[in-house]
């Protein structure tokens, strides 16, 4: 057999037959070339012999080794140039088992699949992505180990020190890859993405808490993945040792985050779900050992933002840091926020050992917080503020340092029913409204129902089973009538409290009856 380079060397005596059987110089595989009309010679697919052009014949993927990127002593610059020459042709491309270094970006084309059999690519140049598919469509990247330098942090969410840069990409699939030590993120697509799937990947860094805190404010822009757009799916991935884990960009729509593992966020949150996200499901994930919040949906007022249809269910969140809620939904706009997340379900989650509140719900319009198991919590098991039409039911809350359920200010049509609270108020902070089973604070709450809950104290830690704190406004206050109207406190059981109930008797309650103080007294009507 004749090697391809020999056949196409100028001046040889081999006949210019229409079809020739040759051997690839770099893979030593048999290869067929077929004579064609004019072409642009690239040294691999299209080659020239004398005045004739030949096209390499193949089926399936082209092999990146055909471009001789494993030549002895080859530079990273030449490797990058040759790979880009291959990718520019737009064919599906196969990378065999090997380890290579590049010093610039590799640019992908529309309708291209990039497949690896255990190929490792390391970027040696600072602030450069490995693969770029910005604005491209119909691309698949599978099976690589992609390595960053791990030292060139840029304090910007638009840093290019990423594995894959994919702003405005459409129909992109990234699967079964390993990403290591990118100081921005494994994948960065800050917006405009549509139909993005990130599945079965691992993002594992060697970064530490000390590394994350080397600059003032910390290296917050180091994330496992940061993407945004429409129809985003993040499924069955593993993230470890980044400042934040999964970051979804503001105003995204139709986002699914399911069955992922997020461990050891070394500066902030396990998941940061930015403002105005709608049609979001966060289901069946495991979030462990976060410096701050486990799962955070952060809203802020912005023109044309909406935040509808949120489901956060069946997740396990454990070991959040000091000041870190297990699950948080909030609007942090300065002043009086206007944007409420609408149609919200937080159900079936397990939250354990949270540094702040177990589940913290603020600025929600129409929602359910149900069937969650919450234990070993630094502050309140469930904290509620600024809600409309919220149902808090069938939750099991055990061992909170402060209140089991804290109902803070500005809630309307709130029901807290059929919850079980055991061992609240363990910290003994001295503030009696924090050492309770359920507390209703005294500012602008209206139509509050607390029914059929069971509260069991430990020793003298639970000062009150239910504590209702009324704050009476001045007589001439025009909003006086909106304070503390129409409460229902019915059918609750309080055991082992210093004092079962505390109310302000000068304010009328709609219903207060059939509440049990202990198992030895018969229920009586309370007037």
């Amino acid at each position: 057999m004749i090697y391809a380079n020999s056949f196409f060397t100028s001046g040889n005596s081999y006949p210019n037959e229409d079809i020739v059987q040759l051997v690839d110089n770099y893979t030593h595989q048999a290869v067929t070339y077929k004579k064609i009309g004019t072409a642009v010679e690239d040294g691999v697919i299209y080659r020239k012999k004398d005045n004739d052009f030949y096209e390499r014949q193949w089926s399936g993927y082209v092999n990146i080794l055909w471009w001789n990127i494993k030549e002895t002593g080859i530079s990273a610059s030449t490797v990058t140039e040759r790979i880009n020459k291959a990718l520019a042709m737009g064919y599906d491309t196969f990378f065999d088992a090997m380890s290579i270094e590049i010093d610039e970006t590799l640019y992908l084309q529309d309708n291209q699949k990039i497949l690896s059999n255990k190929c490792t690519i390391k970027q040696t140049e600072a602030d450069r992505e490995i693969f770029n598919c910005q604005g491209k469509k119909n691309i698949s990247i599978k099976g690589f180990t992609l390595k960053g330098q791990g030292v060139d942090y840029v304090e910007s969410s638009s840093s290019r020190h990423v594995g894959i840069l994919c702003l405005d990409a459409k129909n992109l699939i990234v699967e079964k890859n390993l990403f290591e030590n990118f100081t921005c993120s494994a994948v960065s697509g800050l917006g405009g993405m549509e139909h993005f799937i990130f599945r079965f990947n691992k993002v594992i860094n060697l970064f530490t808490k000390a590394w994350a805190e080397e600059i003032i404010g910390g290296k917050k822009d180091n994330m496992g993945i940061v993407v945004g757009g429409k129809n985003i799916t993040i499924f069955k991935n593993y993230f470890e040792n980044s400042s934040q884990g999964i970051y979804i960009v503001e105003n995204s729509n139709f986002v699914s985050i399911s069955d992922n593992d997020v461990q050891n966020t070394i500066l902030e949150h396990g998941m940061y779900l930015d403002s105005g996200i709608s049609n979001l499901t966060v289901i069946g994930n495991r979030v462990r050992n976060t410096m701050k919040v486990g799962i955070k949906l952060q809203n802020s007022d912005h023109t044309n933002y909406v935040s509808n249809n949120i489901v956060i269910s069946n997740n396990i969140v454990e070991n959040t840091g000091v000041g870190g809620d297990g699950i948080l939904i909030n609007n942090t706009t300065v002043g009086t926020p206007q944007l409420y997340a609408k149609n919200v379900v937080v159900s079936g989650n397990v939250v354990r050992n949270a540094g702040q509140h177990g589940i913290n719900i603020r600025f929600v319009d129409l929602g359910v917080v149900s069937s969650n198991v919450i234990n070993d919590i630094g502050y309140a098991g469930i904290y509620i503020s600024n809600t409309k039409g919220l149902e808090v039911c069938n939750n099991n809350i055990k061992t909170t340092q402060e209140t089991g359920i804290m109902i803070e200010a500005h809630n309307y049509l709130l029901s807290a029913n059929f919850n079980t609270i055991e061992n609240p108020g363990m910290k003994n902070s001295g503030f009696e409204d924090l050492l309770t089973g359920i507390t209703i604070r005294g500012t602008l709450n209206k139509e509050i129902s607390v029914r059929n809950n069971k509260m069991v104290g430990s020793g003298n830690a639970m000062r009150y089973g239910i504590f209702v704190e009324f704050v009476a406004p001045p007589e001439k206050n025009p909003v006086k009538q909106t304070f503390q109207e129409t409460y229902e406190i019915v059918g609750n059981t309080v055991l082992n409290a210093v004092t079962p109930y505390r109310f302000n008797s000068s304010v009328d309650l709609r219903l207060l009856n059939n509440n049990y103080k202990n198992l030895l007294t018969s229920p009586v009507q309370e007037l």
Side-chain angles (χ1 to χ4, degrees):
M1 296 292 288
I2 304 169
Y3 277 92
N5 285 357
S6 298
F7 180 82
F8 292 111
T9 299
S10 178
N12 67 65
S13 59
Y14 299 121
N16 292 18
E17 296 177 349
D18 290 342
I19 297 177
V20 291
Q21 301 291 333
L22 304 172
V23 176
D24 186 275
N25 283 71
Y26 314 121
T27 63
H28 306 292
Q29 297 170 323
V31 60
T32 300
Y33 278 87
K34 182 178 180 180
K35 190 184 295 185
I36 60 172
T38 59
V40 177
E41 185 175 12
D42 66 4
V44 176
I45 303 298
Y46 299 103
R47 305 194 69 168
K48 186 177 182 183
K49 183 178 186 299
D50 303 326
N51 294 319
D52 295 320
F53 286 93
Y54 286 81
E55 180 184 44
R56 182 170 183 152
Q57 306 297 294
W58 75 96
S59 61
Y61 298 91
V62 301
N63 191 331
I64 204 70
L65 287 176
W66 297 348
W67 280 262
N68 193 21
I69 64 169
K70 295 299 293 177
E71 177 184 336
T72 302
I74 192 172
S75 68
S77 179
T78 302
V79 170
T80 307
E81 179 184 356
R82 292 181 179 179
I83 294 176
N84 271 326
K85 178 183 285 189
L87 294 173
M89 303 178 68
Y91 296 119
D92 295 344
T93 306
F94 176 71
F95 289 70
D96 214 330
M98 56 185 162
S99 182
I100 56 179
E101 293 186 346
I102 60 173
D103 64 357
E104 258 296 346
T105 299
L106 303 178
Y107 292 93
L108 306 185
Q109 309 302 315
D110 289 342
N111 308 308
Q112 193 169 48
K113 293 182 176 134
I114 309 300
L115 177 65
S116 161
N117 174 28
K118 300 180 180 179
C119 175
T120 297
I121 304 177
K122 182 174 182 179
Q123 178 62 268
T124 63
E125 184 68 18
D127 200 28
R128 291 288 185 275
E129 68 274 19
I130 290 181
F131 288 124
N132 183 305
C133 51
Q134 291 191 95
K136 302 298 183 180
K137 63 184 179 181
N138 303 329
I139 290 175
S140 174
I141 303 170
K142 181 177 180 180
F144 289 89
T145 294
L146 302 181
K147 294 186 176 184
Q149 290 183 311
V151 294
D152 54 337
Y153 177 80
V154 176
E155 194 171 358
S156 169
S157 58
S158 58
S159 165
R160 293 177 58 190
H161 192 221
V162 303
I164 301 170
L165 193 62
C166 50
L167 178 71
D168 296 323
K170 308 292 189 294
N171 299 321
L172 172 62
I173 299 175
V174 179
E175 61 181 329
K176 296 184 178 179
N177 302 284
L178 170 61
F179 300 84
E180 297 181 356
N181 294 338
F182 290 97
T183 57
C184 179
S185 62
V187 175
S188 177
L190 294 176
M193 301 183 68
E194 293 185 18
H195 299 285
F196 169 69
I197 298 175
F198 187 79
R199 64 191 178 196
F200 310 120
N201 300 283
K202 292 184 178 180
V203 181
I204 301 177
N205 300 315
L206 298 178
F207 305 139
T208 64
K209 183 174 183 290
W211 174 87
E213 295 175 341
E214 284 176 350
I215 64 174
I216 296 174
K219 297 176 179 177
K220 295 182 179 180
D221 294 315
N222 170 241
M223 292 160 276
I225 182 174
V226 51
V227 291
K230 298 178 182 179
N231 296 300
I232 306 294
T233 299
I234 301 176
F235 175 65
K236 282 196 174 182
N237 304 284
Y238 180 87
F239 301 86
E240 183 177 346
N241 293 342
S242 53
S243 293
Q244 303 190 65
I246 297 172
Y247 193 120
I248 303 298
V249 174
E250 61 188 15
N251 222 21
S252 294
N253 197 359
F254 295 104
V255 177
S256 172
I257 304 171
S258 61
D259 206 12
N260 299 281
D261 285 275
V262 181
Q263 293 204 54
N264 302 334
T265 59
I266 55 179
L267 188 68
E268 292 202 334
H269 318 302
M271 295 185 194
Y272 189 106
L273 313 169
D274 211 343
S275 302
I277 297 175
S278 284
N279 301 302
L280 167 69
T281 59
V282 180
I283 298 176
N285 302 281
R286 296 156 295 277
V287 182
R288 306 180 183 94
N289 304 324
T290 63
M291 290 301 296
K292 291 191 178 178
V293 180
I295 299 173
K296 179 178 183 180
L297 176 63
Q298 162 102 25
N299 277 313
S300 62
D301 292 349
H302 191 287
T303 303
N304 299 322
Y305 274 17
V306 294
S307 188
N308 295 327
N309 309 332
I310 310 297
V311 176
I312 302 175
S313 293
N314 298 329
N315 303 284
I316 297 173
V317 180
E318 57 182 347
N319 302 331
T320 67
V322 175
D325 300 316
I327 297 172
L328 170 64
I329 299 175
N330 195 16
N331 186 326
T332 58
T333 301
V334 176
T336 304
Q338 301 300 312
L339 178 66
Y340 280 63
K342 297 182 179 181
N343 308 327
V344 174
V345 174
V346 179
S347 68
N349 301 285
V350 176
V351 179
R352 187 183 72 83
N353 195 26
Q356 191 161 273
H357 306 307
I359 296 176
N360 188 341
I361 305 296
R362 309 186 189 204
F363 297 97
V364 165
D365 183 358
L366 197 61
V368 173
V369 179
S370 68
S371 303
N372 299 285
V373 176
I374 304 167
N375 62 64
D376 294 328
I377 304 301
Y379 289 80
I382 298 176
Y383 186 101
I384 306 160
S385 174
N386 292 273
T387 66
K388 305 172 186 178
L390 184 69
E391 178 81 12
V392 181
C393 60
N394 298 108
N395 298 286
N396 196 328
I397 303 168
K398 182 176 182 180
T399 311
T400 61
Q401 295 303 300
E402 294 185 349
T403 311
I405 298 176
M406 170 61 74
I407 301 172
E408 198 38 281
H410 296 267
N411 298 287
Y412 172 66
L413 284 178
L414 169 67
S415 298
N417 302 328
F418 294 98
N419 299 285
T420 299
I421 300 169
E422 185 177 358
N423 301 338
M426 300 299 290
K427 186 163 61 176
N428 191 16
S429 63
F431 299 99
E432 291 188 331
D433 65 333
L434 300 180
L435 306 178
T436 64
I438 298 175
T439 290
I440 305 174
R441 283 269 175 87
T443 305
L444 292 170
N445 284 311
K446 183 176 181 180
E447 297 288 356
I448 307 298
S449 174
V450 177
R451 290 174 173 262
N452 302 307
N453 300 283
K454 185 170 185 177
M455 289 144 277
V456 181
S458 176
N460 293 324
M462 186 170 72
R463 301 296 175 85
Y464 301 98
I466 298 177
F467 183 108
V468 182
E469 178 189 37
F470 294 104
V471 178
E475 287 295 323
K476 296 182 180 180
N477 191 312
V479 296
K480 178 179 180 180
Q481 295 306 311
T482 66
F483 277 73
Q484 314 302 346
E485 293 184 7
T486 58
Y487 282 28
E488 300 175 357
I489 300 176
V490 177
N492 299 283
T493 300
V494 177
L495 305 176
N496 299 334
V498 176
T499 303
Y501 306 98
R502 173 175 168 176
F503 310 104
N504 185 325
S505 60
S506 66
V507 178
D508 293 334
L509 298 171
R510 175 182 288 173
L511 287 174
L512 172 62
N513 62 20
N514 290 337
N515 297 288
Y516 294 76
K517 295 181 180 179
N518 58 61
L519 293 177
L520 299 179
T521 56
S522 299
V524 296
Q525 181 78 8
E526 298 187 34
L527 302 176

